[in-house]
Amino acid sequence: MSTIAMLENVGYMQVESPMGPLLIGCKNAAIVSLQFDAVEIKTDHIKQSPVAQEAICQLKEYFAGKRKSFDLPLTLEGTIFQHQVWEALQKIPYGEVKSYKQIAEIIGRPRAYRAVGGANNRNPIPIIIPCHRVIGADASMVGYRDGVEKKAWLLRHEKVFSL
């Protein structure tokens, strides 16, 4: 297991998933981060909270194929442009994909598809904000901060349960 840098004033809880452990960060009764991969959590960073418990429940339902969208309070730090992209991502239906160019068009910035990729990369709450549903214009699996293999896994998972 590796240790990661913890955000200040954020409590964390870990949940097991088919993709390995996920680390959920909560602050002021809202989700602020979700991170992949095994980590050691120092006991002073572990914080039980109702919103984290609800996130764990919803993530388990998602991985069981019973949840198609998330209903959790989120707090996102980012630019206005990033917020526009993250809002658009949350509107991509379960089991479907959009290209970076399509997202750029949806937010009214048709030439900003590279910037959409940058905002996707900075999404602090993957899965819940489904940045994995954004693919290249040629339908290729490109640009996933946590690894293209995780993106492909999530898309296969959704395809199975959207049939």
Side-chain angles (χ1 to χ4, degrees), residues 69-157:
S69 63
F70 294 90
D71 183 22
L72 295 164
L74 308 177
T75 297
L76 298 162
E77 291 187 19
T79 66
I80 292 170
F81 179 81
Q82 288 169 334
H83 279 262
Q84 290 172 334
V85 171
W86 298 334
E87 282 181 35
L89 298 179
Q90 292 177 75
K91 294 176 183 171
I92 303 172
Y94 181 93
E96 295 183 22
V97 294
K98 299 269 186 215
S99 70
Y100 295 96
K101 184 172 175 40
Q102 287 173 310
I103 297 297
E105 291 168 349
I106 287 168
I107 65 169
R109 304 275 303 272
R111 302 183 79 178
Y113 53 90
R114 289 183 194 261
V116 166
N120 246 26
N121 187 50
R122 289 176 188 83
N123 173 14
I125 312 174
I127 302 174
I128 294 170
I129 298 176
C131 54
H132 61 276
R133 295 181 189 153
V134 184
I135 60 173
D138 62 357
S140 60
M141 295 286 163
V142 294
Y144 196 61
R145 178 187 70 208
D146 295 296
V148 175
E149 64 284 343
K150 285 184 173 71
K151 179 179 198 163
W153 191 97
L154 289 163
L155 291 175
R156 282 192 309 272
H157 169 76

Side-chain angles (χ1 to χ4, degrees), residues 1-134:
M1 288 191 165
S2 62
T3 302
I4 61 167
M6 300 289 172
L7 300 171
E8 219 172 292
N9 300 317
V10 173
Y12 292 91
M13 290 187 70
Q14 190 167 307
V15 60
E16 289 299 320
S17 82
M19 302 178 74
L22 300 174
L23 188 64
I24 301 164
C26 295
K27 183 177 181 180
N28 300 328
I31 305 298
V32 297
S33 68
L34 189 142
Q35 299 174 52
F36 287 96
D37 299 321
V39 296
E40 291 179 17
I41 307 171
K42 295 179 183 176
T43 54
D44 56 333
H45 289 294
I46 298 171
K47 182 180 177 189
Q48 300 288 328
S49 75
V51 72
Q53 291 292 348
E54 182 60 25
I56 288 170
C57 181
Q58 289 189 27
L59 284 163
K60 286 181 177 181
E61 291 171 351
Y62 170 82
F63 286 115
K66 297 176 182 173
R67 176 168 289 278
K68 309 289 190 223
S69 63
F70 294 90
D71 183 22
L72 295 164
L74 308 177
T75 297
L76 298 162
E77 291 187 19
T79 66
I80 292 170
F81 179 81
Q82 288 169 334
H83 279 262
Q84 290 172 334
V85 171
W86 298 334
E87 282 181 35
L89 298 179
Q90 292 177 75
K91 294 176 183 171
I92 303 172
Y94 181 93
E96 295 183 22
V97 294
K98 299 269 186 215
S99 70
Y100 295 96
K101 184 172 175 40
Q102 287 173 310
I103 297 297
E105 291 168 349
I106 287 168
I107 65 169
R109 304 275 303 272
R111 302 183 79 178
Y113 53 90
R114 289 183 194 261
V116 166
N120 246 26
N121 187 50
R122 289 176 188 83
N123 173 14
I125 312 174
I127 302 174
I128 294 170
I129 298 176
C131 54
H132 61 276
R133 295 181 189 153
V134 184

